[in-house]
């Protein structure tokens, strides 16, 4: 909260529920540099995020059929192995478990340089790398029945049907229907039941998450803070200024939970850039239509409806009416916004020389699809005095030579 000039010129505040939200207009917001951008199966090697684990899943059994695996590592080494199941006439019992076990043995034999490690559970094999500096360049599983009997992947699949219902906690993949990361792709992480420990095998579900290598955790020390007032054990009124960190604040036997800013929920920086206020100061705070709003640069950014600490789209697959809103005030000149003020069913935005309104039209739901910003006037105003609403009107100071008008 330190800065130059008078404190009253540096800070903006608004109250809501149990908190007074305070922002320092001289403080640039940032991502948390301590955030872990790798995943259970993705490592950062030579400044690139690459897969270091792979999975094989034997789904179905067929007799007298070839199952094959082809692996290429980042250093160019290749490991190829295959097995052919027994014929029906042989009387030999064949199951997905025995096929997985035979494939592990075949891969282990073919791996003459001892690159690979194996963990086999039932009909699934988790394949790792003995050398932490190595990664998978390609991993292909195939079979003689149109690749319907077995699935294999390291960090990418084309369809969710390639993913098993049992897997290892934290394993993350890119679903890329077109074969590469684009607007149709999304990321899924496996959440095993009753555990949060990466690498734990179990039944669970694949849930959408943010991509690896993509920042998504806001640095709460650079974000607006909470001014909280409470009574301590002696009945005295106390005040504390705390970041929205998701931590518990304690004063003797008095304690309360402070909300935290939500971390990226989906997508990556290429297809779903983060909120536009990151890297810039937050100039003003406002609550509008059940959303927390930030004024930053030329943008108005509103949280998810009803979730005031989430500025991330919930899914890269679709935009919902409750998703955050991030819009630019467009004009012929650079229009850095200073203030926001609600007037009836609209939000009036103020820059030094222009005034805008945020609205969604009549009889429509306020959402990312319907919200828009339009200029309503071009009046040069005094930027250090916040406009005020008086009845149905909004008043603000205007410089006229050596004088100030309203």
């Amino acid at each position: 909260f330190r800065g130059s000039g008078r404190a009253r010129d540096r800070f903006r505040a608004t109250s809501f529920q149990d908190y007074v939200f305070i922002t320092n207009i001289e403080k640039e917001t940032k991502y948390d540099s301590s955030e872990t951008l790798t995943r259970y199966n993705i490592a950062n090697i030579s400044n690139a995020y690459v897969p270091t684990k792979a999975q094989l899943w034997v789904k179905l059994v067929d007799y007298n059929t070839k199952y094959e695996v082809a692996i290429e590592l980042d250093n160019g080494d290749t490991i190829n192995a295959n097995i052919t199941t027994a014929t029906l006439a042989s009387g030999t019992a064949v199951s997905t478990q025995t096929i997985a076990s035979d494939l592990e043995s075949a891969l282990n034999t073919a791996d003459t340089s001892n690159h690979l490690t194996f963990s086999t559970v039932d009909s699934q094999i988790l394949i790792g790398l003995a050398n932490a500096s190595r990664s998978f360049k390609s991993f292909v599983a195939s079979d003689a029945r149109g690749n319907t009997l077995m699935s294999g992947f390291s960090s990418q699949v084309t369809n969710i049907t390639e993913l098993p219902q049992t897997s290892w906690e934290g394993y993350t993949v890119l679903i890329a229907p077109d074969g590469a990361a684009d607007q149709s792709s999304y990321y899924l992480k496996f959440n095993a039941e009753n555990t949060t420990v990466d690498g734990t095998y179990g039944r669970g579900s694949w849930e959408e998450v943010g991509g690896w290598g993509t920042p998504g955790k806001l640095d709460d020390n650079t974000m607006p803070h909470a001014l909280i007032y409470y009574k301590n054990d002696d009945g005295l009124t106390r005040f504390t200024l705390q970041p929205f960190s998701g931590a518990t604040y304690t004063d003797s036997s008095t304690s309360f939970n402070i909300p935290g800013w939500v971390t990226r929920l989906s997508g990556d920086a290429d297809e779903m850039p983060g909120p536009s206020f990151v890297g810039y100061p937050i100039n003003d705070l406002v609550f509008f239509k059940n959303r927390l709003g930030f004024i930053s640069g030329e943008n108005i950014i509103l949280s998810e409806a009803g979730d005031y600490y989430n500025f991330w789209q919930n899914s890269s697959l679709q935009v919902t009416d409750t998703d955050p809103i991030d819009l630019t005030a467009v004009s012929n000149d650079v229009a850095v916004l200073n203030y926001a003020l609600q007037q009836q069913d609209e939000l009036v935005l103020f820059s030094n020389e222009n005034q805008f309104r945020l609205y969604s039209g009549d009889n429509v739901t306020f959402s990312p699809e319907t919200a828009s910003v339009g200029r309503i006037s071009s009046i040069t105003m005094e930027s250090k005095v916040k406009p005020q609403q008086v009845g149905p009107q909004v008043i603000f100071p205007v410089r006229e030579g050596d004088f100030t008008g309203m």
Side-chain angles (χ1 to χ4, degrees):
F1 273 86
R2 294 181 178 179
S4 60
R6 298 180 301 179
R8 76 183 207 182
D9 292 333
R10 294 200 312 271
F11 299 142
R12 304 282 189 270
T14 190
S15 60
F16 183 73
Q17 294 180 342
D18 297 328
Y19 309 108
V20 176
F21 290 74
I22 301 178
T23 184
N24 182 352
I25 67 172
E26 295 181 355
K27 186 72 172 182
E28 288 186 1
T29 57
K30 298 178 180 179
Y31 289 118
D32 191 332
S33 60
S34 67
E35 181 182 6
T36 300
L37 300 181
T38 57
R39 300 294 183 264
Y40 170 62
N41 56 307
I42 304 292
N44 186 344
I45 301 175
S46 300
N47 295 319
Y49 290 90
V50 289
T52 55
K53 292 180 175 61
Q55 286 192 50
L56 269 179
W57 173 33
V58 181
K59 298 187 283 186
L60 297 170
V61 172
D62 201 358
Y63 287 91
N64 194 27
T65 300
K66 180 183 286 189
Y67 293 73
E68 191 168 8
V69 180
I71 300 172
E72 182 180 0
L73 304 183
D74 64 299
N75 64 349
D77 286 0
T78 58
I79 304 163
N80 301 306
N82 67 80
I83 66 163
T84 299
T85 55
T87 63
L88 181 60
S90 70
T92 302
V94 179
S95 67
T96 56
Q97 290 87 349
T98 60
I99 294 172
S101 178
D102 291 345
L103 279 170
E104 177 188 339
S105 297
L107 283 167
N108 196 27
T109 300
D111 181 23
T112 56
S113 298
N114 297 319
H115 288 301
L116 306 179
T117 64
F118 303 94
S119 175
T120 301
V121 182
D122 294 331
S123 60
Q124 292 174 252
I125 310 173
L126 179 67
I127 303 173
L129 294 167
N131 188 333
S133 64
R134 295 272 72 85
S135 63
F136 290 101
K137 183 178 180 180
S138 69
F139 188 92
V140 179
S142 58
D143 58 68
R145 297 293 182 268
N147 301 329
T148 60
L149 308 178
M150 182 170 63
S151 175
F153 54 89
S154 57
S155 62
Q156 181 174 315
V157 297
T158 57
N159 195 296
I160 193 173
T161 58
E162 299 176 53
L163 302 177
Q165 294 179 342
T166 53
S167 189
W168 287 265
E169 168 71 24
Y171 204 103
T172 307
V173 296
L174 171 68
I175 311 296
D178 297 329
D182 58 22
Q183 291 184 346
S184 66
S185 61
Y186 55 100
Y187 295 85
L188 296 179
K189 186 188 82 167
F190 187 77
N191 290 329
E193 296 174 357
N194 304 318
T195 184
T196 57
V197 179
D198 280 353
T200 302
Y201 180 85
R203 181 169 294 276
S205 59
W206 295 88
E207 298 180 8
E208 191 170 7
V209 293
W212 51 78
T214 298
K217 183 179 181 182
L218 299 170
D219 184 347
D220 52 67
N221 289 311
T222 68
M223 293 286 288
H225 282 41
L227 178 65
I228 307 169
Y229 55 93
Y230 64 96
K231 289 189 176 181
N232 65 6
D233 296 343
D234 298 323
L236 300 176
T237 299
R238 295 288 183 87
F239 293 86
T240 182
L241 185 66
Q242 298 291 325
F244 288 101
S245 61
T248 299
Y249 177 79
T250 302
D251 180 358
S252 297
S253 63
T254 301
S255 64
F256 43 84
N257 297 324
I258 301 174
W261 305 107
V262 174
T263 301
R264 174 186 284 272
L265 300 172
S266 61
D268 56 34
D270 292 331
E271 304 302 329
M272 293 179 60
S276 62
F277 59 73
V278 177
Y280 300 92
I282 293 173
N283 294 330
D284 199 12
L285 305 161
V286 65
F287 280 91
F288 181 65
K289 292 187 178 294
N290 201 28
R291 300 171 184 260
L292 171 61
F294 294 158
I295 297 296
S296 180
E298 298 178 78
N299 286 58
I300 168 70
I301 307 100
L302 297 171
S303 72
E304 179 183 5
D307 189 346
Y308 314 116
Y309 307 95
N310 178 32
F311 288 87
W312 300 98
Q313 188 171 311
N314 283 277
S315 173
S316 56
L317 298 176
Q318 63 177 341
V319 178
T320 66
D321 288 347
T322 59
D323 274 337
I325 296 171
D326 196 331
L327 296 173
T328 302
V330 179
S331 69
N332 294 330
D333 305 314
V334 176
V336 176
L337 301 175
N338 299 316
Y339 302 104
L341 184 67
Q342 182 172 354
Q343 185 187 35
Q344 297 177 355
D345 204 39
E346 300 177 348
L347 195 65
V348 184
L349 311 174
F350 299 85
S351 70
N352 287 348
E353 298 179 349
N354 295 282
Q355 295 73 46
F356 305 85
R357 66 169 181 160
L358 170 66
Y359 62 102
S360 61
D362 298 330
N363 301 318
V364 296
T365 301
F366 184 73
S367 71
E369 299 292 340
T370 62
S372 63
V373 174
R375 185 168 59 179
I376 53 177
S377 61
S378 297
I379 303 173
T380 301
M381 62 171 289
E382 172 54 63
S383 63
K384 291 186 178 181
V385 180
K386 184 169 184 174
Q388 299 294 321
Q389 184 171 3
V390 179
Q393 297 179 323
V394 173
I395 62 172
F396 54 92
V398 179
R399 284 188 176 182
E400 298 178 355
D402 295 332
F403 301 92
T404 298
M406 299 294 287

